[in-house]
Amino acid sequence: EQQRILNGVLEHTDVLIYAKDIEGRFVMSNRALEQIAPAHSSLLGLTDHDLFDQQTADDYRRNDARIMGARESQVFSEEVVHPDGTVHTYRSTKFPLIDEAGEVLGVGGVSTDVTELTAARAAHAEAEHHWRALIEQSPIAVTMVDADGVIVFANTEAALLFDRVKDGKAGKDDAELFRAQMLTEMAA
């Protein structure tokens, strides 16, 4: 029953799941990996060098050797060219496969396609950069206040308006700053 359930998981997940022996030959791969591999069929007995270009295969083999040598799991970012020519980025968790006697049999791995996540993070970082540049260069004073009313961000114009930094008013809440500003203006 457990084997049937495991086979169902391996068959239907979109995560790449695989195991290789110490020589780098696939001893297990799921359908998701077989669908993106150039062979499009069973990978059993094949190596990364049978499936990928020299540089990519060497990188994968180097990562596998590092896992087997260290005898501990590690996470890598690895790129795979899909059959349609698109390059996908995978977050690969690899771990040593060890027998009952403590000998390393090979390496196992689970690789998740993070291409969309990576692109979304890059787009978010770019938008954040543009937003910060816009706010910093704005001729209008802009502040951000936390839930307690404490100013957590002020652009250059806001800092000049309140002269907070010079007068040691950083961290004051809006009411205090406006009150101090009004008193200063009334006294002038």
Side-chain angles (χ1 to χ4, degrees):
E1 180 67 15
Q2 282 186 326
Q3 186 61 45
R4 190 174 60 74
I5 293 170
L6 178 59
N7 287 342
V9 169
L10 291 173
E11 187 73 11
H12 297 289
T13 185
D14 63 349
V15 174
L16 312 182
I17 302 173
Y18 47 90
K20 303 175 199 172
D21 64 17
I22 58 173
E23 302 300 322
R25 290 184 299 263
F26 283 93
V27 295
M28 191 222 41
S29 63
N30 69 338
R31 182 170 26 177
L33 177 56
E34 291 168 356
Q35 288 176 337
I36 67 158
H40 288 297
S41 62
S42 176
L43 303 181
L44 297 182
L46 299 178
T47 70
D48 290 327
H49 286 94
D50 296 320
L51 302 170
F52 305 105
D53 66 79
Q54 182 74 33
Q55 178 64 45
T56 301
D58 287 347
D59 289 345
Y60 294 166
R61 187 68 182 140
R62 193 172 15 264
N63 289 346
D64 293 349
R66 194 175 333 162
I67 296 301
M68 291 185 285
R71 298 173 66 99
E72 58 185 37
S73 65
Q74 293 182 23
V75 177
F76 299 94
S77 178
E78 298 179 318
E79 291 187 344
V80 176
V81 178
H82 280 215
D84 66 1
T86 59
V87 177
H88 289 246
T89 303
Y90 284 82
R91 180 182 188 274
S92 297
T93 302
K94 295 186 175 187
F95 45 89
L97 299 172
I98 301 174
D99 68 13
E100 299 82 21
E103 297 297 317
V104 175
L105 297 172
V107 65
V110 178
S111 299
T112 304
D113 190 339
V114 295
T115 305
E116 289 179 11
L117 176 62
T118 302
R121 284 182 176 167
H124 176 76
E126 184 175 349
E128 171 90 7
H129 172 74
H130 290 306
W131 177 85
R132 285 194 177 277
L134 176 68
I135 296 299
E136 274 300 326
Q137 296 170 12
S138 174
I140 300 169
V142 178
T143 60
M144 288 191 333
V145 180
D146 68 13
D148 297 323
V150 175
I151 294 175
V152 294
F153 171 82
N155 71 351
T156 303
E157 285 299 317
L160 291 173
L161 176 65
F162 298 118
D163 203 21
R164 315 177 309 143
V165 176
K166 187 175 102 181
D167 292 343
K169 296 177 183 167
K172 302 286 185 179
D173 66 25
D174 280 339
E176 271 185 273
L177 282 173
F178 288 120
R179 200 169 30 255
Q181 183 68 25
M182 286 175 55
L183 289 173
T184 301
E185 288 174 2
M186 290 169 61

